[in-house]
Amino acid sequence: QVQVVESGGGLVQAGGSLRLSCTVSGRTFSTTAVGWFRQSPGKEREFVTTSKWSGDLTTYAESVRGRFTFSRDNAKNTVYLQMNSLTPEDTAVYYCAADPYNYCSGYVCTNPSDYGHWGQGTQVTVSS
């Protein structure tokens, strides 16, 4: 069983930064996929970034590339999403997700359906 818990959302002005945390506990492997998604009201859940638990094959959505950074702390079983240069368009509930077995093509999982374990979500609001 895998548990996923996010934290770190909040309110920030445009141009500011936030860091989200996601702790993944339970059975994980080097190929376990960990991803960040976001969802705004009335919109589908959107891919943000993903990486293997081993730390390689990090992939970003075009909308966040160069502004968001995926990182990890193995000792804490925690991954982070550092978000810089935030804009109001980044406002959403952000979700962390994990899938222990990662059957995705090339081990890069960008669809919500690729993940079997989700956190509760954390709200990020960017004011203009």
Side-chain angles (χ1 to χ4, degrees):
Q1 188 71 7
V2 173
Q3 292 80 41
V4 180
V5 179
E6 312 102 333
S7 62
L11 173 65
V12 64
Q13 289 188 331
S17 299
L18 277 176
R19 189 179 78 161
L20 306 182
S21 301
C22 172
T23 299
V24 180
S25 59
R27 192 177 179 98
T28 58
F29 309 93
S30 63
T31 55
T32 291
V34 182
W36 288 97
F37 292 78
R38 64 188 183 185
Q39 189 166 20
S40 304
K43 295 186 178 181
E44 294 186 352
R45 194 162 295 189
E46 175 190 19
F47 166 73
V48 175
T49 182
T50 184
S51 181
K52 287 168 56 183
W53 194 243
S54 58
D56 58 337
L57 296 180
T58 303
T59 302
Y60 297 94
E62 185 63 34
S63 60
V64 306
R65 189 174 296 126
R67 300 187 299 123
F68 290 12
T69 303
F70 186 114
S71 64
R72 61 190 300 105
D73 183 332
N74 289 336
K76 297 182 178 179
N77 284 345
T78 299
V79 299
Y80 303 97
L81 180 64
Q82 177 67 43
M83 305 184 294
N84 298 330
S85 301
L86 286 162
T87 73
E89 288 69 37
D90 295 315
T91 295
V93 176
Y94 283 71
Y95 296 91
C96 183
D99 192 84
Y101 302 107
N102 192 348
Y103 295 119
C104 301
S105 175
Y107 295 112
V108 177
C109 301
T110 61
N111 294 311
S113 60
D114 295 330
Y115 294 85
H117 304 274
W118 291 83
Q120 77 285 1
T122 185
Q123 177 70 46
V124 171
T125 302
V126 184
S127 63
S128 57

